[in-house]
């Protein structure tokens, strides 16, 4: 299956700044993909290139299987886009904004278009704000209107640049819920700094730094991967059991965390799942009182990866 977004060796130079230095991106079709990276990593530059708003200096990119260099209208019409700073005519009413977007994306009888606008108002939770002027909307409502406008043409791919920025927790939650509702209907690719939100709603992650992909993959592999760390508590002569455990090929380190408690880091989750409990229970007169995987969150992993690239 072709990816929804595919880039190879994408480079972008602005005079002295190398904003992208050979970006290889792969966003699977149907995923909700969080695009992460520190300030200046190249996220907006990437999105602008994908949207045809800026040209790459080198490299190649395809959206929905079509080379962006061809700039086909057919492909463009299958993409919804919410820029970092969307602008609306402040005195326009919500329904008018959607009506205008519908004119750009939809054709067909007026009644069908009215139905679609009602569907979108319902989807983005603005049905009770349809007659309100844009200038009187909250930040979260404005962002949801922007998403409504972007999805009115039922795109296959929705690209959003920092959809949570500047929103309070309630506004963020509303936008998160909306992105979750789009799962299964289209591929969603969005940049964000709010790792907690990405962990909640994305099922695929791309991390960029200094214009290159540092890591990318499914969220579950990101959070777990092959390595896993376990908290262990033993009654009895636990020290001897832990020393023996340290000889297993799938154990990377063991560390005492207190009296009768340890952290065991394993490099092979599957072997650990099969062998850890058995190995711990093998000590004569020792009893396993706790065995618990320690889950790292996306923020820990992100910070490690970005620090690693800064050290290189
Ligand atoms: P942020 O999270 O702060 O929005 P970002 O990851 O989106 O950052 P970009 O906006 O893509 O990063 O910027 C990448 C690099 O390119 C930065 O060093 C930025 O200063 C530079 N840059 C971006 N646009 C231009 C431009 N038009 N002219 C010159 N340099 C630019």
């Amino acid at each position: 299956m072709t990816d929804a977004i595919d880039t190879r060796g994408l480079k972008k130079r602005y005079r002295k700044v190398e904003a992208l230095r050979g970006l290889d991106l792969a966003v699977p079709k149907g995923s909700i993909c969080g695009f992460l990276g520190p300030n200046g990593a190249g996220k907006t530059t990437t999105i602008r290139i994908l949207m045809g708003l800026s040209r790459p200096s080198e490299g190649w990119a395809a959206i929905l299987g079509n080379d962006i260099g061809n700039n086909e209208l057919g492909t463009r019409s299958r993409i919804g886009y919410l820029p970092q700073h969307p602008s609306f005519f402040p005195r326009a009413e919500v329904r008018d904004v959607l009506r205008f977007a519908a004119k750009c994306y939809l054709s067909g009888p007026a009644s069908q278009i009215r139905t679609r606008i009602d569907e979108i108002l319902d989807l983005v939770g603005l049905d009770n704000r349809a007659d309100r002027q844009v200038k009187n909307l909250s930040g979260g409502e404005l962002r949801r209107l922007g998403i409504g406008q972007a999805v009115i043409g039922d795109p296959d791919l929705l690209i959003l640049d920092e959809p949570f920025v500047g929103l309070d927790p309630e506004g963020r939650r509303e936008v998160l819920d909306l992105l979750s509702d789009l799962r299964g209907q289209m591929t969603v690719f969005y940049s964000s700094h709010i790792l907690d939100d990405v962990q909640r709603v994305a099922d695929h992650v791309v991390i960029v730094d200094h214009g290159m992909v540092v890591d990318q993959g499914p969220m579950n592999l990101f959070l777990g991967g092959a390595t896993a760390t376990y908290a262990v508590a033993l009654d009895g002569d636990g020290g001897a059991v832990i020393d023996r455990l340290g000889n297993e090929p799938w154990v990377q380190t063991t560390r005492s965390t207190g009296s009768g408690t340890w952290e065991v880091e394993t490099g092979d989750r599957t072997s650990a799942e099969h062998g850890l409990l058995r190995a711990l229970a093998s000590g004569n007169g020792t009893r396993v009182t706790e065995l618990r995987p320690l889950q790292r969150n996306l923020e820990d992993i992100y910070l490690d990866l970005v620090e690693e690239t800064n050290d290189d």
Side-chain angles (χ1 to χ4, degrees):
M1 189 170 69
T2 49
D3 287 320
I5 302 174
D6 186 5
T7 75
R8 311 270 169 87
L10 208 58
K11 293 189 180 175
K12 178 71 185 180
R13 271 181 296 276
Y14 297 106
R15 293 172 179 261
K16 287 184 183 159
V17 180
E18 262 200 297
L20 300 182
R21 298 189 301 142
L23 188 95
D24 297 323
L25 190 66
V27 177
K29 266 189 187 155
S31 62
I32 297 197
C33 178
F35 189 34
L36 306 173
N39 291 124
K43 302 181 296 297
T44 298
T45 302
T46 306
I47 288 178
R48 287 179 54 79
I49 290 175
L50 293 174
M51 291 309 302
L53 302 170
S54 172
R55 277 174 187 277
S57 312
E58 272 178 57
W60 171 91
I63 287 189
L64 303 170
N66 296 302
D67 188 331
I68 58 164
N70 300 338
N71 203 12
E72 286 166 22
L73 211 60
T75 308
R76 294 270 156 240
S77 66
R78 291 165 60 203
I79 307 168
Y81 172 51
L82 180 67
Q84 197 166 8
H85 305 290
S87 59
F88 301 102
F89 183 58
R91 276 182 296 174
E93 290 177 5
V94 166
R95 190 184 292 278
D96 292 334
V97 171
L98 294 177
R99 211 175 270 147
F100 182 74
K103 278 212 171 85
C104 301
Y105 285 103
L106 302 174
S107 55
S111 61
Q112 211 171 308
I113 290 178
R114 272 198 302 275
T115 306
R116 180 64 182 152
I117 291 173
D118 287 339
E119 277 171 14
I120 293 294
L121 285 168
D122 182 46
L123 174 77
V124 301
L126 291 176
D127 28 4
N128 58 356
R129 299 279 190 273
D131 303 323
R132 190 170 282 195
Q133 286 187 326
V134 162
K135 64 178 182 181
N136 296 325
L137 295 180
S138 71
E141 288 168 343
L142 263 180
R143 208 58 58 82
R144 284 185 279 135
L145 175 59
I147 295 175
Q149 198 182 26
V151 300
I152 200 159
D154 196 16
D156 293 321
L157 170 65
L158 174 64
I159 297 182
L160 312 107
D161 197 355
E162 298 274 3
F164 307 117
V165 83
L167 298 184
D168 63 15
E170 195 186 337
R172 269 169 43 209
R173 165 50 64 103
E174 290 164 359
V175 172
L176 272 174
D177 288 347
L178 175 53
L179 294 188
S180 287
D181 289 346
L182 297 176
R183 193 186 302 278
Q185 296 180 45
M186 62 192 72
T187 308
V188 179
F189 179 68
Y190 68 96
S191 62
S192 179
H193 286 292
I194 305 174
L195 299 167
D196 198 34
D197 289 350
V198 174
Q199 185 168 342
R200 250 188 273 167
V201 81
D203 48 46
H204 201 86
V205 183
V206 177
I207 298 181
V208 282
D209 196 12
H210 296 108
M212 290 172 76
V213 171
V214 177
D215 207 348
Q216 59 187 325
M219 178 70 82
N220 55 356
L221 282 187
F222 246 90
L223 295 180
T227 61
T229 303
Y230 296 84
V232 170
L234 300 173
D235 242 4
D237 186 11
V241 173
I242 295 292
D243 283 348
R244 272 204 306 280
L245 183 68
N247 296 325
E248 295 285 353
W250 38 269
V251 172
Q252 284 180 333
T253 55
T254 59
R255 190 169 68 86
S256 167
T257 51
S259 166
T261 61
W262 290 265
E263 268 181 25
V264 176
E265 195 181 327
T266 68
D268 176 348
R269 177 181 294 265
T270 314
S271 299
E273 279 167 4
H274 284 110
L276 186 54
L277 183 58
R278 195 177 317 128
L280 291 172
S282 66
N284 272 345
T286 338
R287 203 164 57 88
V288 183
T289 54
E290 185 181 8
L291 175 57
R292 176 168 55 88
L294 294 173
Q295 181 96 345
R296 297 181 76 215
N297 65 22
L298 188 59
E299 185 160 337
D300 300 327
I301 295 157
Y302 169 88
L303 289 174
D304 280 356
L305 285 168
V306 169
E307 269 166 28
E308 251 172 51
T309 51
N310 287 340
D311 290 346
D312 290 344

